[in-house]
Amino acid sequence: MERIVFSAGLPALKVVQENERLLWRVSEVLNAPIEKVENTTERLVADWKEARHERERLLREIADFTAKEYLATAKEIRGSKAITKAVKEVSVDRLIKIASEVVTMESRGVIVLCGVNETARLVVMAGKEAIKYGINAREIADKASSVLGGGGSGRSDFAQGGGTLIDKVPEALSKAEEIIRKQLEEGQ
């Protein structure tokens, strides 16, 4: 048994009028005549998808370039390469992409990036060799984030954290470097 729902009379007319009103509104937004709304929408969606792919490609290129730049200035600590940086007005997704590129390029690398906006967000990643040396990203994120008035969590290779005390970012990054040194000393 199937149930059929339908409108008749005045309610049906109101539904048709509302649909027509919406179609006219879409036509205005797209700046296209009603008979071309379908084609215009398909073209716009295709353009949007292409732009999204191009954006992703450019973000990968920026992450690659930035990772190389950060690795050039990395601190050598007990056989590992450590990077701690504060970055203003950068999304967490971009921080993750940069950190991921660093540990892909350098398996001994450990990177702590702090994105500073209205709040501070930490991204911590460790390469495979750095983990073998004793690095634990979760501990770094948690303890450095506590300086920022927040907390952190994650895995040994990738963790995130943050807090609201953005004026304490330099102190949090110093804490992160201190923890990295301690972990590397204990791991060897």
Side-chain angles (χ1 to χ4, degrees):
M1 179 162 68
E2 286 188 42
R3 178 180 222 171
I4 299 173
V5 178
F6 67 95
S7 297
L10 192 56
L13 180 60
K14 285 184 178 183
V15 168
V16 169
Q17 288 174 337
E18 177 61 17
N19 286 343
E20 190 171 321
R21 187 190 68 74
L22 288 172
L23 184 58
W24 276 105
R25 179 69 185 124
V26 169
S27 172
E28 287 175 10
V29 169
L30 295 177
N31 196 25
I34 287 181
E35 59 274 2
K36 293 186 179 182
V37 165
E38 182 179 6
N39 290 338
T40 302
T41 303
E42 288 172 352
R43 184 177 42 82
L44 283 173
V45 169
D47 290 350
W48 173 76
K49 286 179 180 178
E50 184 180 326
R52 189 178 68 196
H53 291 301
E54 179 65 8
R55 178 183 179 272
E56 285 300 314
R57 185 190 66 75
L58 290 171
L59 284 175
R60 281 192 305 276
E61 280 186 27
I62 290 169
D64 182 66
F65 175 79
T66 306
K68 287 175 183 172
E69 181 183 321
Y70 288 177
L71 278 168
T73 61
K75 291 181 183 177
E76 187 81 30
I77 302 174
R78 293 191 174 269
S80 187
K81 292 199 172 225
I83 300 165
T84 57
K85 290 223 183 268
V87 187
K88 293 185 188 285
E89 305 296 326
V90 174
S91 72
V92 173
D93 287 343
R94 190 157 146 208
L95 295 177
I96 292 169
K97 284 184 187 335
I98 293 167
S100 181
E101 283 295 319
V102 165
V103 298
T104 299
M105 291 176 187
E106 177 57 73
S107 65
R108 298 175 303 140
V110 56
I111 181 165
V112 180
L113 295 177
C114 187
V116 183
N117 296 308
E118 294 86 39
T119 62
R121 292 290 307 270
L122 281 174
V123 170
V124 183
M125 277 196 194
K128 290 178 182 171
E129 291 299 313
I131 293 168
K132 288 179 185 175
Y133 292 162
I135 293 296
N136 183 333
R138 184 179 359 90
E139 181 185 358
I140 297 167
D142 186 44
K143 290 185 178 177
S145 294
S146 68
V147 174
L148 299 169
S153 188
R155 303 183 312 258
S156 61
D157 65 330
F158 171 60
Q160 294 184 62
T164 57
L165 305 176
I166 60 174
D167 57 319
K168 301 255 184 184
V169 168
E171 188 180 328
L173 291 174
S174 292
K175 181 71 170 179
E177 187 173 329
E178 175 188 319
I179 296 163
I180 291 168
R181 287 182 187 280
K182 182 180 174 213
Q183 288 178 350
L184 289 171
E185 286 172 11
E186 292 173 358
Q188 291 183 347

